[in-house]
Each structure stands twice: as C-alpha cells, then as structure tokens.
Amino acid sequence: DAGVIQSPRHEVTEMGQEVTLRCKPISGHNSLFWYRQTMMRGLELLIYFNNNVPIDDSGMPEDRFSAKMPNASFSTLKIQPSEPRDSAVYFCASSFRGAAEAFFGQGTRLTVV
Amino acid sequence: GDSVTQMEGPVTLSEEAFLTINCTYTATGYPSLFWYVQYPGEGLQLLLKATKADDKGSNKGFEATYRKETTSFHLEKGSVQVSDSAVYFCALSDHGGTALIFGKGTTLSVSS
C-alpha cells in the first residue's frame, strides 16, 4: 500500500485566495483525521470522519475552514479565504476504526503571504 | 478531558547515551498509548504502542511500558544514534474510534 497520500506537498498562496488540500487514505481504513502543526500550538486535531461522516469538527478554527469526505478514498480541507495565520503543515491521517493507531501522510506545507 | 503531557525539550545527547523521554496521561477509561516519531520534513510514524496496563511496546531499540498506577508511558533507549534525532510524540486513544490525542512533542538531538 502506498500509505496516506496528500497533495500538494507545498502550497504558497496569497492572502484571500482559496486553498484546497487533498488526502487519499489507506484503502480499507474507515476513519480519517485532519491535523494542523505549528511551532506555537504543536499538533492540533481539526476534524475527523468515521465512515465518511464528520464526527467532531470542534477543532476547525472558524468558518473559513471546511472539510469534506465524499467517499471512502478521498477527503478535502478547504480554506476560504486564506490568511497568513493559516500558514502551517497540515496532516491527514487514517486508521481502521478498531485498531486505534493512525497512519499519517507526508503533510502539506501551506504558506499564505 | 483526556490529555497527554510530555517533558519539555529539546533533549541533547551524545551518541551512545541513554535516553528517557517522560510521558504522563490523563484519561477516564483505559486508553491505548503510542509513541510517534517525526523526522525532519516528514509525517509522523508510529514507533511503538501498548494497548493495556503492563504491556511493553518496543521497536528499533526503543521501549515504553504502560504503567497504569503512575499513568505513564516513558520512552527509553539504551544507546542513541545520530539517526535518532527527531521529534517524538506521545499519544493516547480510547477504544471508541476517536482521534489520537498528542503531547506537544519532544525534540531529540544526538551528536557524534
């Protein structure tokens, strides 16, 4: 298996632009997580899905952030409009619900200028 | 709510030194415990895990024992290498399919 695949690996955008991050979980996994990592706050859970259904989005910073999982093999995290304070590394992870441990993608490094 | 507390870093060691990174947790139930490692520019990788009290997880010379009485899961390695330089995260998960809860991470730097 190729593992969790995220795209793009790097994204530089101007403030106010829409940004879409993509994630393909490991085949057969039924839980998917979006995390954000910054120096100041460490690793923060933004949202997670079980069986494509959002379960907890309490970590989503504000209405500018939205996440979808239209099917078991694809998820997106969208920021609209983007702001410089959104600059971070965004990780997607997936797990098989009964196993507890999660497998992480390589991350998307987002820079908003 | 559930939480994980790790020792503050950075930890700086010479090659072949003994490593301990402390981790304690707070949980209402009986969580599974994990150590993840993040090498520069990469995502987090599972290093080891333990799913019940007194279990010992081990991998690549690293070990950690699930201590329910002290709510701890300290990471140890007898002889570190330069290649072990990375950020180490302690994490917990309950068995209900919820997300992992991470500590803030501890940076380890090993010099030759």
Side-chain angles (χ1 to χ4, degrees):
Chain A
D1 199 315
V4 176
I5 299 173
Q6 291 187 246
S7 64
R9 288 294 310 276
H10 302 274
E11 177 79 37
V12 180
T13 190
E14 292 186 347
M15 183 173 62
Q17 296 297 305
E18 177 180 297
V19 175
T20 299
L21 312 181
R22 297 173 175 79
C23 175
K24 177 178 167 54
I26 292 172
S27 177
H29 283 188
N30 49 12
S31 293
L32 183 138
F33 313 88
W34 283 100
Y35 288 88
R36 177 172 68 176
Q37 185 178 38
T38 61
M39 290 292 291
M40 292 294 293
R41 293 188 163 139
L43 206 56
E44 305 172 275
L45 176 68
L46 300 177
I47 184 171
Y48 77 93
F49 298 82
N50 282 342
N51 296 319
N52 312 339
V53 176
I55 301 301
D56 182 356
D57 65 354
S58 60
M60 296 285 263
E62 47 199 273
D63 291 346
R64 296 185 298 107
F65 285 68
S66 62
K68 294 182 180 180
M69 191 164 186
N71 57 61
S73 58
F74 185 66
S75 177
T76 60
L77 178 67
K78 184 177 293 186
I79 308 172
Q80 164 64 17
S82 58
E83 296 182 3
R85 60 191 166 123
D86 301 331
S87 297
V89 181
Y90 291 81
F91 287 104
C92 176
S94 71
S95 71
F96 177 65
R97 193 174 171 187
E101 67 260 37
F103 296 82
F104 281 73
Q106 296 279 68
T108 295
R109 181 174 295 278
L110 173 65
T111 304
V112 183
V113 298
Chain B
D2 295 354
S3 66
V4 174
T5 302
Q6 285 181 242
M7 63 186 287
E8 295 280 333
V11 174
T12 303
L13 296 172
S14 297
E15 208 165 22
E16 299 183 5
F18 185 84
L19 169 71
T20 300
I21 300 178
N22 291 337
C23 171
T24 58
Y25 67 92
T26 302
T28 52
Y30 301 94
S32 293
L33 301 174
F34 307 88
W35 278 100
Y36 279 79
V37 59
Q38 184 180 28
Y39 299 102
E42 297 186 10
L44 280 72
Q45 302 174 26
L46 178 65
L47 180 60
L48 54 84
K49 69 177 182 180
T51 58
K52 61 183 188 296
D54 300 325
D55 268 3
K56 177 185 283 188
S58 62
N59 185 24
K60 300 181 181 179
F62 291 89
E63 294 182 340
T65 301
Y66 189 142
R67 302 284 188 202
K68 183 170 177 290
E69 63 275 14
T70 55
T71 61
S72 65
F73 193 55
H74 305 320
L75 182 67
E76 296 182 337
K77 187 175 184 182
S79 176
V80 294
Q81 305 300 312
V82 172
S83 57
D84 294 327
S85 299
V87 182
Y88 292 81
F89 293 89
C90 186
L92 69 79
S93 174
D94 70 23
H95 299 285
T98 58
L100 287 163
I101 296 171
F102 286 91
K104 292 189 179 298
T106 303
T107 299
L108 170 65
S109 179
V110 181
S111 58
S112 58

